[in-house]
């Protein structure tokens, strides 16, 4: 029944979808035509007014003589203009011969040409990308050629080949130095983890600061609205962000309008998502039952084996609904069809430019019960009020709506786990068609630790609605030709509503006809709602100076910034609901209610400045400084100062250095400076009383206790990261080959962490924050790019590799995790942070005699895991543990191959990380863990008849003392190195300008795929996971096949 | 032009002026330590934290207070003995688990010191002039209560670890402390309890707070551990054997542990009230979902070994050859407490009326002590609460009997005392013979403690102090092959992490660190 329902849902979904595509396409065409008609009208009236001059014609070619299509040709200082057609030709009416034409095209240097009278033959020069490109830096822009710091940039166009709605995951592998891991494929909750140049601190956050259009923010704009992304990696480039820059800074600029005709850009994408990997569980009930008996026998559990008669019933009654072979995974996973619409309208007059973007994502999950919808809108408008003053406004509005079942999203209480813990011997609903939920089939053998997941799907729900808006007005005043003043404000408001509902139902055993009452769908019953909101106003102002004195060029900037943020939350809950249909607070019984509320605030005041000096484009010098004062620290330790200095030298500009024919340019760079990290706590130095413990003096009402929250240290301050960077940029082979290399040595000292306090103090878990401990990350980044042309095929190869080595240089007493807790690891000076510290797996006991002689205290049996005795002493003790590397990847790499020929373009992006290991446990790995169904490989488990030295005997992980509990070993440590085709995009562009008389410029249709294939030795679900490791079962990544349409008017 | 620059400078400067205001931010939802302790309500809420620590600190780490006593404390501890077994990893008497890196052992250790630090802070504040608004009597009562919690926590530490660090003042971040001898720790405990005897009100147990009788009972437990029999008898003579005594044996054994008559039962000297903690952040851990954990999940189950300890109703030991043995229902004709502590397997009928008992526990030994008949057949989900009894009069009487017997020559008094328990209404076991030898009486007292106090968290302590643990584990291995015990394990290992962090601590002998 449920299956049918799902199918019909899919069907109707597809129908709706097709209608939506059709309708939206039509309506956009209409809107677009209207807009263009209007533009033409305007142009016509402008012509009427001027009504003089002649028609200018011409053609635009590239240096290689190829006609350039879609080049903008504009009469300077007016809104009149045109674009070139397929043959590179253009014509503009009513141009007087002394007017200037401005010819611009992406990737080429803009040219100005006098209109004259004769037809024009214009050859555009390709932008020598690495030399003349302007990149966004902190509080400004800079010519790439003059940069002395270590930064990585990528353009929005590159990212837009990637169709994932999550901008952060689109950055993966694109920017050397920025390590991105996507932990989950859950729509809207991909748990993307970003890290710049290694794991910098064990006390504070390692997440880089994200700055969008100059404003520090927590949300990234949608991919299609990104103009460029810059990552500031070294102290020189990041110090301008001072106390929050230690983990790097990611600068994002959103798209601006260009003066000239209105551009309408509509993007549509429909994607078929499936999970990259689904656990291969046993679905044959008889096989399962046999294996279960085998596990019981090995585990010494008696009295619950399936009888041979029962097994035979399943063996011999295939197709009988009383004896199903349920494939629970197929009920959990589906192919989900998601769609994205994006519309951008941009353009402007010579004074005012605008860009409006609207983006909608509808993304159901590959796991049933999951979905995500998002609306994003970004509006940027800028106007030149007079010669000196420019004003602008950026507005971002986002709304997200995420739905999931009431169970947790990962781990032991997840829906995934629930599905895994159902035996194939029964199906979710009773075979009688009554729609009642099945409990299990064999009361003596099967007891469900996990409730029937259909009950969770039907009766529980979590919704997360988030609303985010940012308004960012600014003013730029050109005081003189060498001095300008910027003032920039922003106000951010965010609101989220988190609702969680769970209900109970009865489940039935269809063999015994017994009912289990009140099986709960989730661990928490009833409804809980949390509203959270935050406001953060921000204001900054800068004064910029730029002047050239002969060979000396000097730039300077000073500025100040003030930030405040306040967050509040309010929660309420009720437990007694009589139905799952009404999921609001008032619908619940009032006898069991709860509420909560909290607020917090913090602020930051900063002054910053920068000086750069450039002598003949040969010697480059830059000095940055920021002073920050944060409310998080006590008065006397509130101010932090973050200076940096960097140098650049371009040897080929020297007369005494001979030119090398194949080397166009070389720049050597060095920088050193310090960055800060604020830590995670808002009030780390304040000693407060907080609720601690509960007690009932009368046996009915609960009193909360109050106790000192923990010890404090008033003298704490920032942690400081000092970065030394050495790098070079080379341009070779006639501006076709670019190479950038950076070596870094990043030392974090005074890590803002909890003091290690002895257990006997009673405050070992609530010790004060102190500045102590140090960590070092060293590594390099290399990126190379070649752009070439064979015949009419343009192609590009972009490759980058990054690596870092992490070392704890000062920690104090080593910390070792206890047995049975999380990942067995050690934090010890001289070693990577949290290195794996575990027993060494040494095969499998083939005989009981071997097992008995081992000295393993878990009393192993033949078929169990053998632990290697490393210390030579009798027995296996903690001294037999070894350090195993693999905590951090050895390196990660990204390779982009792109080519285009006429209208066809192909981009393939490969991404891989190597040398990382994860410690895995739980369902899918340990047989019968939480009664989960083992994977098929256990059918080949060790038995006295089927001996193996790699596959142990099957056991019941819930009741058997396997080596895993006593001796967490390398058996559980898996190499998750992988290389995957992260993205493939094949498109064909039709130039429509001629056909539609410039109404429709181009149409691009494309196929895009994500995670199309993965090469890995890792046998679990997706090898890519945020954090490293742990639970075997996590919401898997998606493999996506999508079709898209891009229409430009 | 120039005025523009001035304007600019003014604008820049204006940011700075509001600076000091802007940057002074204090927590908005909690009181700072400096401004706390303004009235008695606040004192009481600080005291509440201490009472919340009257637990055992298992099952989820040190932050789970004693509300989980039944689940994680008293039943769990007994499941580390020959009384029962448990399905999760905390069982330290399972082979190979009692190691210095055991997370449960570490949690237990930490939990005690966390409670002690809270007590020390509280006592220090109560002795300062910050609380001058309190009357002297109530100030002393607060201190006495804090000292009781501290004594309780130190006793948990010292009977398991022996020589432990003794911290009696507020901790500072750079605190340095090594182990004190067990004798010093015990002396500090007795001193705290003596303060309680002098300053706690002498009433029956009510209002969830410690009374004078509790301090006496606890002192007897500590003295008995020290084999200081004179002090045990002295406590009896000064309090429980006098008119001051507020406690007596309940006329219904089962009432002590559950049901409508549990509150205000005259036998209870101190219990941790199990209110409905579900609305607190403690989550399900706090609901005392005894049924779920003792039966349904098989987390805690009894041992046949313990079932067999119960005599026949005529006082003869259990044996299948005894004429009173009923092969169809082994619970027939037995000490009536057997059916009150364990669920008669015959009731676990084939038709599945207690069908959610998983096969691993079914027809073995379901612990019924904390189950009401209305809880059966077992259902999933929330069940009504019941209090965790931590000190009761029957225990006191048996301690008194034990001390008397160890002093020797008082057989009649010993037998009389034991008979208060055995002869309780509804139990009515025959009295012991006064002609038993001291050793025979000792065995009888051990037996009585085991059957009377089963699953109340005292068995582990008893086996340690009698040095009977090893023998008990050998017997228990028949029911649970994973059991093992070596002599060095009479002390738990100081956690490996504690040793790593505190160089003044000595490793516990016998263990591999």
């Amino acid at each position: 029944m449920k299956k049918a329902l799902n199918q019909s849902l899919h069907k109707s979904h597809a129908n709706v979808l097709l209608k939506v595509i059709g309708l939206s396409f039509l309506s956009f065409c209409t809107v677009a035509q209207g807009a263009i008609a209007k533009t033409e009208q305007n142009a016509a009236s402008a012509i009427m007014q001027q009504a003089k001059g002649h028609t200018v014609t011409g053609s635009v070619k590239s240096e290689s003589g190829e006609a350039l299509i879609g080049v903008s040709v504009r009469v300077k200082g007016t809104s009149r203009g045109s674009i070139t057609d397929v043959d590179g030709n253009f014509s503009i009416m009513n141009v007087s011969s002394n007017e200037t034409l401005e010819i611009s095209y992406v990737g080429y240097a803009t040219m100005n040409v006098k209109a004259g009278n004769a037809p024009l033959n214009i050859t555009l020069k390709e932008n020598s990308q690495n030399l003349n490109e302007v990149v966004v830096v902190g509080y400004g822009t800079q010519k790439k050629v003059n940069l002395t710091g270590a930064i990585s940039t990528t353009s929005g166009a590159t990212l837009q080949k990637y169709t994932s709605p999550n901008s952060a995951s689109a950055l993966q592998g694109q920017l050397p130095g920025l390590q991105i891991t996507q932990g989950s494929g859950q729509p809207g909750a991909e748990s993307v983890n970003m890290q710049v140049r290694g794991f910098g601190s064990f006390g504070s956050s390692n997440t880089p600061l994200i700055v969008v259009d100059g404003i520090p923010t927590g949300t990234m704009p949608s991919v299609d609205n990104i103009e460029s992304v810059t990552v500031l990696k070294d102290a020189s480039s990041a110090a301008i962000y001072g106390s929050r820059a230690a983990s790097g800074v990611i600068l994002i600029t959103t798209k601006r309008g260009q003066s000239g005709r209105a551009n309408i850009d509509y993007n549509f994408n429909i994607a078929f998502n499936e999970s990259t990997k689904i656990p291969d569980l046993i679905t044959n009930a008889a096989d399962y039952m046999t294996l279960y008996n085998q596990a019981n026998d090995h585990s010494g559990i008696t009295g619950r084996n399936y009888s041979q008669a029962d097994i035979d019933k399943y063996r011999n009654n295939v197709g009988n609904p009383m004896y199903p072979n349920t494939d629970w995974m197929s009920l959990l996973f589906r192919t989900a069809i998601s769609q994205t619409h994006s519309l951008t309208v941009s353009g402007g007059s010579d004074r005012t430019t605008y860009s409006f973007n609207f983006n909608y994502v509808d993304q159901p999950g590959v796991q049933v019960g999951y979905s995500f919808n998002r609306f994003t809108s970004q509006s940027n408008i800028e106007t030149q009020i007079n010669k000196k003053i420019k004003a602008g406004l950026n507005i971002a509005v986002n709304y997200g709506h995420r739905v999931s079942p009431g169970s947790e999203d990962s781990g032991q209480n997840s829906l995934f786990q629930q599905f895994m813990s159902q035996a194939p011997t029964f199906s979710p609903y009773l075979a009688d068609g009554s729609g009642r939920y099945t409990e299990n089939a064999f009361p003596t053998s099967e007891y469900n630790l996990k409730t029937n997941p259909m009950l969770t799907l039907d009766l529980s729900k979590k919704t997360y609605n988030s609303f985010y808006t940012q308004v960012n007005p600014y003013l730029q005043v050109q005081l003189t030709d060498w001095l300008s003043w910027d003032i920039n404000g922003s106000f951010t408001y965010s609101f989220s509503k988190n609702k969680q509902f769970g209900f109970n139902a009865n489940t039935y055993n269809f063999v015994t006809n017994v009912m289990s009452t009140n099986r709960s769908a989730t661990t928490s019953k009833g409804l809980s709602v949390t509203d959270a909101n935050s406001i953060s106003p921000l204001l900054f102002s800068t004064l910029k100076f730029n002047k050239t004195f002969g060979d000396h060029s000097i730039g300077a900037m000073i500025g100040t910034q003030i930030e405040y943020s306040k967050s509040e939350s309010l929660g309420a809950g009720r437990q007694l609901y009589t139905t799952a249909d009404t999921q609001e607070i008032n619908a619940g019984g009032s006898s069991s209610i709860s509420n909560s509320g909290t607020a917090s605030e913090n602020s930051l005041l900063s002054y910053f400045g920068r000086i750069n000096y450039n002598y003949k484009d040969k010697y480059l010098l830059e000095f940055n400084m920021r002073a920050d004062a944060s409310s998080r620290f006590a008065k006397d330790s509130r101010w932090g100062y973050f200076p940096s200095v960097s140098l650049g030298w371009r040897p080929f500009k020297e007369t005494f250095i001979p030119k090398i024919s194949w080397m166009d340019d070389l720049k050597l760079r060095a920088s050193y400076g310090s960055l800060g990290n604020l830590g995670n706590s808002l009030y780390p130095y304040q000693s407060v009383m907080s609720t601690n413990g509960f007690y009932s003096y009368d046996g009915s009402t609960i009193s909360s206790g109050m106790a000192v929250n923990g010890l404090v240290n008033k003298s704490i301050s920032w942690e400081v990261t000092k970065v030394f960077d050495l790098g070079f940029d080379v341009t070779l082979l006639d501006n076709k080959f670019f190479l950038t290399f950076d070596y870094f040595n990043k030392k974090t000292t005074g890590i803002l962490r909890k003091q290690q306090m002895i257990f006997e103090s009673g405050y070992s878990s609530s010790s004060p924050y102190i500045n102590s401990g140090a960590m070092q990350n060293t590594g390099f980044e290399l990126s190379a790019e070649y752009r070439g042309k064979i015949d009419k095929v343009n192609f590009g190869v972009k490759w980058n590799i990054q690596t870092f080595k992490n070392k704890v240089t000062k920690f104090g007493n080593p910390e070792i995790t206890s047995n049975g807790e999380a990942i067995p690891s050690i934090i010890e000076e001289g070693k990577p942070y949290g290195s794996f510290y575990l027993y060494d797996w040494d095969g499998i006991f083939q005989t009981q005699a071997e097992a008995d002689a081992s000295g393993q205290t878990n009393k192993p049996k033949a078929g169990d895991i053998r632990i290697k005795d490393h210390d030579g002493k009798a027995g296996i003790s903690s001294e037999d543990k070894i350090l195993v590397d693999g905590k951090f990847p050895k390196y990660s790499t990204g390779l982009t191959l792109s080519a285009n020929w006429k209208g066809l373009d192909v981009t393939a992006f490969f991404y891989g990380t190597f040398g990382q290991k994860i410690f895995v446990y739980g369902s899918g790995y340990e047989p019968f863990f939480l009664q989960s169904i083992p994977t098929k490989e256990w059918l080949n488990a060790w038995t006295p008849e089927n001996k193996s030295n790699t596959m142990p005997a099957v056991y019941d992980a819930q009741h058997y003392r396997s080596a895993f509990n006593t001796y967490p070993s390398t058996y559980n440590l898996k190499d998750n190195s992988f290389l995957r085709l992260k993205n493939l995009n094949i498109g064909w562009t039709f130039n429509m300008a001629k056909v539609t008389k410039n109404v429709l410029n181009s149409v691009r249709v494309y196929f895009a795929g994500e995670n199309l294939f993965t090469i890995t030795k890792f046998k679990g679900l997706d090898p890519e996971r945020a954090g490293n490791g742990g639970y075997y079962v996590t919401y898997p990544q998606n493999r996506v096949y999508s079709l898209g349409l891009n229409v430009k008017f | 032009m120039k005025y523009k620059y001035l304007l600019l400078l003014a604008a820049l400067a204006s940011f700075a002026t509001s600076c000091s205001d802007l940057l002074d931010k204090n927590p908005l939802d909690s009181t700072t330590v400096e401004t706390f302790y303004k009235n008695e309500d606040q004192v009481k809420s600080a005291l509440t934290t201490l009472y919340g620590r009257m637990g055992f600190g298992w099952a989820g780490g040190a932050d789970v207070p004693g509300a989980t006593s039944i689940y994680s404390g008293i039943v769990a501890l007994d499941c580390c003995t020959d009384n029962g077994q448990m399905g999760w990893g905390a069982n330290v008497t399972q082979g190979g688990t009692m190691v210095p890196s055991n997370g449960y052992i570490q949690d237990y250790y930490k939990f005690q010191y966390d409670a002690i630090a809270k007590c020390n802070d509280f006592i220090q504040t109560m002795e300062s002039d910050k609380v001058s608004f309190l009357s002297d009597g109530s100030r002393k009562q607060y201190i006495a209560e804090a000292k009781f919690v501290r004594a309780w926590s130190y006793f948990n530490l010292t009977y398991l670890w022996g020589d432990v660090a003794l911290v009696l003042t507020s901790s500072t971040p750079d605190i340095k402390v090594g182990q004190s001898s067990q004798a010093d720790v015990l002396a500090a405990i007795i001193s705290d309890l003596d303060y309680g005897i002098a300053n706690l009100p002498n009433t029956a147990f009510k209002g969830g707070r410690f009374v004078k009788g509790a301090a006496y009972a606890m002192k007897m437990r500590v003295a008995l551990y020290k084999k200081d029999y004179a002090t045990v008898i002295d406590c009896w003579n000064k309090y429980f054997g006098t008119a001051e005594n507020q406690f007596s044996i309940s006329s219904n054994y089962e009432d002590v542990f559950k049901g409508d008559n549990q509150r205000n039962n005259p036998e209870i000297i101190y219990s941790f009230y199990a209110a409905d903690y579900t609305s607190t952040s403690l989550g399900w851990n706090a609901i005392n979902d005894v049924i779920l954990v003792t039966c349904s999940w098989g987390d805690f189950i009894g041992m046949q070994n313990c079932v067999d300890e119960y005599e026949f109703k005529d006082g003869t030991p259990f044996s299948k050859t005894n004429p009173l043995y009923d092969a169809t229902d082994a619970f027939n004709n037995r000490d009536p407490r057997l059916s009150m502590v364990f669920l008669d397997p015959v009731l676990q009928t084939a038709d599945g009326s207690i069908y959610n008992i998983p096969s691993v526990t079914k027809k073995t030994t379901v612990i019924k002590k904390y189950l009401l008949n209305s809880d059966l057949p077992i259902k999933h989900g929330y069940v009504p609460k019941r209090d965790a009894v931590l000190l009761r009069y029957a225990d006191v009487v048996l301690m008194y009997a034990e001390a008397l017997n160890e002093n020797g020559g008082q057989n009649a008094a010993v037998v009389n005392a034991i008979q208060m328990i055995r002869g309780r209404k509804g139990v009515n076991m025959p009295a012991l013979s006064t002609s038993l030898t001291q050793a025979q009486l000792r065995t009888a007292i051990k037996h009585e403690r085991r059957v009377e106090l089963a699953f109340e968290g005292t068995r582990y302590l008893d086996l340690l102090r009698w040095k009977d643990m090893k023998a008990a584990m050998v017997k228990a291995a028949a029911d649970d092959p994973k059991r093992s015990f070596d002599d060095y394990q009479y002390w738990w290992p100081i956690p490996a992490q504690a040793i790593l962090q505190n160089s003044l601590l000595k490793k516990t002998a016998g263990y591999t660190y």
Side-chain angles (χ1 to χ4, degrees), chain A residues 515 598 603 686 689 695 760 763, chain B residues 22 26 29 109 121 208 355:
Chain A
M515 179 174 86
T598 184
S603 51
Q686 280 150 319
M689 300 293 288
Y695 192 69
E760 295 75 21
Y763 284 101
Chain B
L22 172 82
N26 294 309
D29 58 359
Y109 184 84
D121 284 350
Y355 50 84

Side-chain angles (χ1 to χ4, degrees), chain A residues 304 444 479 485 515 539 543 560 598 603 607 638 686-687 689 692 695 697 705-706 760-763 818 877 961, chain B residues 1 8 15-16 22-24 26 29 31 33 45 48-49 97 109 114 121 171 207-208 270 355 359 505 512:
Chain A
R304 62 173 204 190
T444 50
L479 296 168
W485 177 49
M515 179 174 86
L539 193 65
L543 199 58
T560 177
T598 184
S603 51
Y607 298 98
R638 185 169 281 170
Q686 280 150 319
S687 177
M689 300 293 288
N692 184 301
Y695 192 69
Y697 290 104
M706 293 290 282
E760 295 75 21
S761 68
Y763 284 101
S818 304
S877 73
R961 200 156 184 85
Chain B
M1 242 359 230
L8 202 80
F15 280 3
L22 172 82
L23 295 169
D24 290 329
N26 294 309
D29 58 359
T31 323
V33 173
S45 67
T48 301
T49 294
T97 52
Y109 184 84
D114 286 359
D121 284 350
S171 292
Y270 175 76
Y355 50 84
S359 55
L505 290 182
T512 311

Side-chain angles (χ1 to χ4, degrees), chain A residues 39 70-74 78-80 83 102-108 110 227 254-264 344-356 380-383 390 1049:
Chain A
T39 320
V71 177
S72 155
V73 184
R74 207 164 57 88
T78 74
S79 58
R80 287 175 292 140
I83 58 168
E102 188 179 79
I103 297 114
S104 58
Y105 193 53
V106 176
Y108 289 80
T110 300
E227 180 66 38
T254 56
K255 286 186 174 164
R256 317 268 123 183
Q258 301 280 334
S259 5
R261 78 192 281 275
N263 288 304
I264 297 171
T344 309
V345 181
S346 66
S349 66
D350 54 338
R351 290 200 143 181
T352 305
T353 59
Y354 58 86
S355 169
F356 305 121
N380 298 342
I381 183 159
E382 190 174 271
T383 184
K390 204 198 276 182
F1049 296 96

Side-chain angles (χ1 to χ4, degrees), chain A residues 292-465:
Chain A
Y292 183 79
N293 289 355
Q294 203 177 315
N296 285 340
D297 294 346
H298 186 79
S299 308
I301 301 166
T302 53
R304 62 173 204 190
N305 275 4
Y306 293 103
S307 70
Q308 193 54 46
D310 281 336
I311 297 176
D312 290 341
K313 274 183 206 158
Y314 278 86
R315 215 46 98 211
N316 302 327
N317 284 289
V318 177
N320 180 340
M322 282 297 278
Y323 304 102
N325 293 293
T326 309
D327 179 359
W328 286 90
M329 288 300 103
S330 73
L331 298 173
L332 173 63
F333 288 103
R334 62 182 175 190
T335 299
I337 302 170
S338 60
Q339 52 173 322
T340 312
H341 297 268
S342 162
L343 177 72
T344 309
V345 181
S346 66
S349 66
D350 54 338
R351 290 200 143 181
T352 305
T353 59
Y354 58 86
S355 169
F356 305 121
N357 171 274
F358 182 79
N359 182 285
Y360 171 68
V361 175
D362 172 24
Q363 199 187 4
V366 295
Q367 276 189 24
V368 290
Y370 284 86
S371 72
F372 179 56
N373 286 283
R374 190 187 68 193
F375 299 88
T376 317
S377 151
Q378 173 90 35
S379 308
N380 298 342
I381 183 159
E382 190 174 271
T383 184
Q384 191 81 41
I385 293 170
N386 59 31
K387 268 190 177 170
K388 304 215 149 158
I389 302 176
K390 204 198 276 182
L393 178 66
N394 304 330
I395 301 172
V397 178
N398 300 342
Y399 174 75
H401 175 67
R402 194 170 76 214
V403 178
S404 60
S407 50
E408 283 162 25
D409 295 324
S410 60
Q412 305 199 357
N413 293 315
S414 64
L415 185 75
F416 201 161
Q417 177 67 63
Q418 274 183 293
F419 268 94
M420 288 191 84
S421 296
Q422 311 296 322
T425 52
F426 56 92
S427 32
Y429 298 96
L430 293 198
D432 64 4
S434 61
R436 291 179 295 173
Y437 302 105
T438 311
E439 171 69 28
N440 51 25
F442 293 89
T444 50
S445 307
E446 292 160 1
Y447 57 102
N448 276 0
L449 281 176
K450 296 289 167 193
T451 318
N452 187 327
M454 293 302 168
L455 189 147
T456 304
L457 276 170
D458 294 349
L459 300 177
S460 75
K461 193 174 170 185
K462 269 194 310 203
T463 54
Y464 179 72
N465 293 343

